[in-house]
Amino acid sequence: MREQNGTIQTSLLFFIFMSTEALQALSNNIAEIVAQAGKAIVSVNANRRFTPSGIHWRNGIIVTSDESLKRYEDITVTLANVTKEPVSLIGRDPTTDVAVFKLENPDIPVATKL
């Protein structure tokens, strides 16, 4: 029985070791995805007490929450590299809580499906 218990303990330790490696790999993959996605995220500066985020959805197109905006003129976005760029309103739909802005000459990646 002791030999069987030793085999079980060895198997359990192997499983724990493999689980640790799997968790580390998962953690690394998630960190890489967040790093890539973060480059397509912007802060929308629309004169609110809090700064909503937006996503660079298509080339030059920023999508954000309409409810989070106080005004629709003179809006800028802060890019991941901390530069501020002006955007212009393309459209908004308060019923679905979506606002869409045009970013001229975008120098940030577009969000991609991973």
Side-chain angles (χ1 to χ4, degrees):
M1 192 68 154
R2 279 189 178 196
E3 190 173 316
Q4 192 174 23
N5 283 342
T7 303
I8 291 171
Q9 288 174 347
T10 302
S11 296
L12 183 59
L13 287 174
F14 178 75
F15 176 76
I16 290 170
F17 176 74
M18 291 305 293
S19 294
T20 302
E21 283 186 352
L23 287 175
Q24 185 62 48
L26 176 62
S27 177
N28 291 342
N29 287 340
I30 290 172
E32 183 179 329
I33 290 167
V34 169
Q36 288 177 2
K39 296 174 186 173
I41 304 297
V42 299
S43 296
V44 180
N45 308 304
N47 210 21
R48 294 290 286 191
R49 287 195 296 182
F50 66 93
T51 303
S53 61
I55 184 125
H56 189 208
W57 181 61
R58 296 277 191 267
N59 192 31
I61 304 296
I62 304 292
V63 179
T64 191
S65 167
D66 181 66
E67 180 182 48
S68 63
L69 305 174
K70 187 172 183 179
R71 61 183 162 83
Y72 298 96
E73 307 85 30
D74 301 320
I75 296 178
T76 62
V77 294
T78 304
L79 309 178
N81 65 5
V82 195
T83 60
K84 287 188 178 183
E85 297 289 335
V87 293
S88 55
L89 181 68
I90 293 175
R92 58 186 283 262
D93 182 9
T95 60
T96 57
D97 192 26
V98 173
V100 181
F101 293 93
K102 177 71 176 164
L103 173 64
E104 298 296 331
N105 304 316
D107 191 24
I108 59 172
V110 172
T112 57
K113 195 177 199 180
L114 299 174

